[in-house]
Amino acid sequence: MKDMIVEKNKVVSLIYELRAGSNTEEVVEKLNESNPLTFLFGSGSLLPKFESNIDGLKVGDGFDFRLASTDAYGDIINDAIVEVPKNVFLVDGELDNDLLTVGNSIPMMDSQGNRLSGVVLNVADDSVKMDFNHPLAGEDLIFKGKVVDIREATEEEVTHGHLHGNSSCGGECGGGCGGHDEEGEGNCGSGCCGSCQ
């Protein structure tokens, strides 16, 4: 196991601290050994430049790199900031005012059935202004951490392109940004937000 390296079809576990943008003092996300990022390398669930920075590392190897926003979640897209009719938020004819709180992130679905998450920016009488940009859009990302485990992926994991069982990202846990839920759909829940697509 000690001779294994991070490469395609290996299950990799990492710990790291993520800082974003010009405020390099503030930790945006911190994963430790009790909650590592565990994923199938080369499956497309992580940012490509993130993977290229850890490719070939071994267990115990550290990393410290910066991803430009263009290699992470891109620039802020003004068209992703939209006014949504307030009636969209009616449930059984009732409006949940606790849900419509400025700063609240609300999971939604677009007209093609794609899942996305929007942050409430403003609540007006008949509409809600929401930002559907990734929370880290427009930010450079700084990762510092180390590889804590590498193992062979099972044939089933390679075939399905994601982990099975308890995983932090890319598995069925539903907690990893860019992971897959039971229907194989993309998921952007909490955790792993700095590295996953």
Side-chain angles (χ1 to χ4, degrees), residues 6 12-19 29-32 36-39 41 46 49-67 141-150 194-195:
V6 174
V12 179
S13 293
L14 308 173
I15 59 173
Y16 64 75
E17 283 188 356
L18 166 63
R19 291 174 167 81
E29 180 177 50
K30 182 174 183 173
L31 300 177
N32 56 38
L37 166 62
T38 302
F39 61 96
F41 188 86
L46 297 186
K49 289 286 187 173
F50 182 93
E51 283 202 350
S52 69
N53 275 282
I54 61 168
D55 194 7
L57 296 180
K58 298 182 197 134
V59 172
D61 284 352
F63 54 84
D64 189 350
F65 59 87
R66 174 186 288 265
L67 295 184
L141 306 180
I142 301 127
F143 292 93
K144 184 175 184 176
K146 73 175 181 175
V147 179
V148 294
D149 191 43
I150 303 171
S195 53

Side-chain angles (χ1 to χ4, degrees), residues 77-92:
I77 301 168
N78 289 331
D79 289 346
I81 301 171
V82 297
E83 296 282 342
V84 179
K86 215 170 191 178
N87 65 5
V88 167
F89 302 97
L90 292 175
V91 178
D92 297 327

